[in-house]
Amino acid sequence: MALDIPVSKLPRVIVIGGGFGGLNAAKALKGKNVQLVLLDKNNHHTFQPLLYQVATSGLEAGSIAYPLRKFLGGAKNAHFRMTEVEEIIPSRNEVKTNDGYIKYDYLVISTGASTNFFNMKDVEENASELKSVSQAIDMRHMFLQVFEKMLLTDNEVVRARLMNFVIAGGGPTGVELAGALSELRRRVLPDDYPELDLKKMRIILLDQGTKLLASMSEYASDHALKYLEQFGVEVRLGVGVKSYDGRQAVLSNGEILPTETLVWAAGVKGELVDGFDSSLIAKGNRLKVDAYNRVDGFSNIFAIGDVAMQEDERYKNGLPGLAPVAIQQGSHVAKNIMKLVEGKSPEPFKYWDKGSLATIGRLKAVGDLSKTMHLGGMIAWIAWLVVHLFYLIGFRNKVMVFSDWIWNYITFDRRVRLIVRPYRKEKIKGDSA
Ligand SMILES: Cc1cc2nc3c(=O)[nH]c(=O)nc-3n(C[C@H](O)[C@H](O)[C@H](O)COP(=O)(O)OP(=O)(O)OC[C@H]3O[C@@H](n4cnc5c(N)ncnc54)[C@H](O)[C@@H]3O)c2cc1C
């Protein structure tokens, strides 16, 4: 069965992945003279930059996700199927999903990235990661349950272990998560857990490199470090995690750090689908593409966003894995496909770098507008809020997030402190309490 997509005389464009890249490609192909088929293993788009706020009880999960069917809005030429793509068979212009095969005239691969544990199986099994809505909800449950557990043990060794919150990876996700946890510690947890001595709660941010936010300027790295230290986060540079069994992390300097909450935010790799020769796969498990985002050697297969490795004169190791890259490539590839359908020549892609921002906490953020123009403090924080609201998909989501932010700002509260589905880390044997 070919996923029951109606037969059409129009050329069929399959877009795999409804993330930032795929969604923008789909947006530009809706209502055009092609048959658009959007495939995703989830039925929603995830606004990944705000996952950490779901994990730290600041936002509802539903405010940062958007149903893909609603996004297509009933466009007559568009079809969505919730299915996982297993393989691409370029010789037959066909995609194999776990629900059947489907042929394409043009294919856009926008499957994003997954967490890279660098072959450390025990870390992969026992640490938490933050890539999807369900992982963010799990993480929220994990954090909240740990505080409940602290009150159910009189064993000081166990309680000390539960008090250690460790984040590996000092990129934007690690920095933002550490900042949000420190706000919970300062503003929210003391009211909820007056019986706990929260001065003993440690938030430890580890990074193997020499600075935080390595892809940003020295200004941004230095200010992020300063703000985190002001918030009482222990930042340890030049130290990584070598193994983790769910109870203790062994660090690269040999130190043993007891913790039941290790978050792994120290690496990503392209979420490749089978079907391509290894010669087409570049560093970081990404598909090599040319200036038109065509996968090397194919005229009708395009890859965009985090799964694509596109070099230009400014980015010798490929464009960065950022939402704006995926967004711009998505709409550009769609325009090029329409040009090809109309018998015109495609145009090369040029990334417009509008700068980058990272928030650390209340009134504290950092931003690089250009190589020489940097922002910090409240101005960067406001810029961060505005940019994230602008890119969030869906008017209702924008309103919900904005009102939650106002509420959180005025009341110092984090509304979503709910454990609705008990979280159990399967790999931890025995009861730690
Ligand atoms: C926690 C976090 C914070 C971030 N913060 C920022 C930030 O502040 N600023 C910024 O610019 N960027 C940020 N990023 C990076 C940004 O989110 C990515 O660069 C962007 O999402 C890439 O878009 P994409 O379309 O390539 O992939 P994604 O948005 O990841 O979308 C991939 C889609 O493909 C689907 N998919 C994957 N495999 C299959 C398959 N086999 N079959 C069917 N469907 C499949 C997935 O379900 C998903 O919907 C962050 C990322 C994370 C994880």
Side-chain angles (χ1 to χ4, degrees):
M1 186 163 111
L3 302 185
D4 208 16
I5 303 289
V7 176
S8 163
K9 286 188 183 132
L10 298 172
R12 178 181 288 165
V13 184
I14 297 184
V15 176
I16 310 175
F20 283 102
L23 212 60
N24 280 279
K27 186 176 169 187
L29 293 168
K30 269 197 300 185
K32 296 280 162 44
N33 272 336
V34 289
Q35 184 186 51
L36 165 65
V37 179
L38 176 62
L39 307 176
D40 200 299
K41 58 187 175 184
N42 296 306
N43 79 337
H44 57 266
H45 165 82
T46 304
F47 192 82
Q48 290 175 343
L50 290 179
L51 281 173
Y52 81 96
Q53 295 206 3
V54 173
T56 50
S57 304
L59 292 175
E60 298 272 9
S63 309
I64 66 151
Y66 197 81
L68 291 170
R69 287 190 174 278
K70 186 168 165 61
F71 182 84
L72 293 181
K76 288 212 166 36
N77 73 328
H79 307 271
F80 171 70
R81 292 292 180 270
M82 183 175 138
T83 186
E84 182 157 357
V85 173
E86 292 174 350
E87 191 184 347
I88 291 154
I89 309 157
S91 59
R92 302 206 308 251
N93 283 342
E94 206 164 37
V95 167
K96 182 185 176 206
T97 76
N98 55 12
D99 295 287
Y101 290 82
I102 177 166
K103 286 204 177 283
Y104 59 83
D105 295 294
Y106 298 93
L107 177 66
V108 179
I109 306 169
S110 183
T111 42
S114 54
T115 307
N116 191 351
F117 291 94
F118 302 101
N119 294 323
M120 292 187 287
K121 291 282 169 228
D122 58 343
V123 178
E124 182 169 353
E125 278 174 23
N126 297 306
S128 302
E129 53 181 310
L130 194 56
K131 283 299 240 173
S132 65
V133 169
S134 52
Q135 286 168 350
I137 296 172
D138 270 352
M139 198 177 284
R140 181 183 87 205
H141 292 155
M142 176 180 79
F143 288 149
L144 296 173
Q145 279 178 206
V146 159
F147 292 102
E148 297 301 330
K149 238 168 141 181
M150 286 178 199
L151 286 169
L152 296 173
T153 181
D154 52 11
N155 182 329
E156 283 306 319
V157 175
V158 171
R159 193 177 285 169
R161 182 171 72 220
L162 293 169
M163 285 279 187
N164 288 346
F165 292 77
V166 182
I167 300 161
T173 303
V175 164
E176 292 178 346
L177 196 56
L181 275 175
S182 75
E183 293 212 324
L184 275 181
R185 177 177 59 184
R186 264 183 308 157
R187 313 279 193 191
V188 181
L189 299 171
D191 286 341
D192 278 7
Y193 300 96
E195 297 145 279
L196 288 175
D197 180 4
L198 290 165
K199 285 193 215 74
K200 291 186 178 154
M201 176 181 167
R202 296 172 69 196
I203 302 160
I204 303 157
L205 177 62
L206 308 170
D207 195 288
Q208 228 155 5
T210 51
K211 57 179 212 158
L212 294 175
L213 301 175
S215 60
M216 294 181 74
S217 64
E218 289 296 329
Y219 175 94
S221 305
D222 293 347
H223 279 72
L225 177 63
K226 187 177 90 183
Y227 296 150
L228 283 174
E229 287 180 342
Q230 281 171 6
F231 290 163
V233 174
E234 296 173 43
V235 179
R236 300 179 58 182
L237 298 172
V239 186
V241 171
K242 286 287 152 219
S243 72
Y244 179 55
D245 65 1
R247 293 277 181 87
Q248 55 183 35
V250 180
L251 308 187
S252 54
N253 60 5
E255 185 185 335
I256 290 175
L257 196 54
T259 179
E260 292 200 14
T261 43
L262 172 68
V263 176
W264 183 257
V268 291
K269 58 180 180 180
E271 177 72 351
L272 270 185
V273 176
D274 285 349
F276 293 103
D277 189 82
S278 60
S279 63
L280 298 176
I281 300 167
K283 194 170 168 242
N285 212 35
R286 293 172 295 166
L287 277 170
K288 291 183 194 166
V289 298
D290 64 12
Y292 304 86
N293 281 91
R294 292 179 297 214
V295 176
D296 283 359
F298 299 99
S299 59
N300 62 344
I301 304 181
F302 303 83
I304 58 176
D306 285 2
V307 78
M309 151 73 178
Q310 187 179 53
E311 288 175 17
D312 77 9
E313 64 278 5
R314 294 163 301 165
Y315 300 95
K316 296 291 175 209
N317 292 321
L319 295 177
L322 291 173
V325 174
I327 290 170
Q328 292 174 33
Q329 287 181 333
S331 20
H332 189 84
V333 153
K335 279 186 204 140
N336 271 346
I337 289 175
M338 290 315 301
K339 281 183 194 282
L340 291 170
V341 168
E342 290 157 10
K344 298 178 188 155
S345 302
E347 283 174 21
F349 174 75
K350 187 106 183 121
Y351 173 49
W352 178 21
D353 182 359
K354 298 176 190 164
S356 41
L357 292 157
T359 183
I360 290 89
R362 196 182 179 83
L363 302 176
K364 297 270 190 291
V366 290
D368 294 332
L369 298 185
S370 68
K371 281 209 167 82
T372 50
M373 277 183 69
H374 312 293
L375 297 177
M378 190 172 80
I379 293 176
W381 185 72
I382 291 170
W384 183 92
L385 298 179
V386 171
V387 167
H388 282 70
L389 270 187
F390 179 79
Y391 281 108
L392 194 63
I393 308 286
F395 182 70
R396 183 193 165 277
N397 282 359
K398 289 180 203 277
V399 172
M400 296 306 291
V401 167
F402 185 60
S403 56
D404 274 342
W405 281 348
I406 301 264
W407 177 263
N408 295 347
Y409 185 79
I410 294 172
T411 63
F412 292 90
D413 198 10
R414 294 291 177 275
R415 206 165 53 82
V416 204
R417 300 197 297 283
L418 307 173
I419 301 170
V420 289
R421 173 183 80 206
Y423 171 73
R424 179 132 187 95
K425 212 187 278 178
E426 296 300 333
K427 301 298 178 302
I428 297 180
K429 303 280 182 241
D431 188 355
S432 60

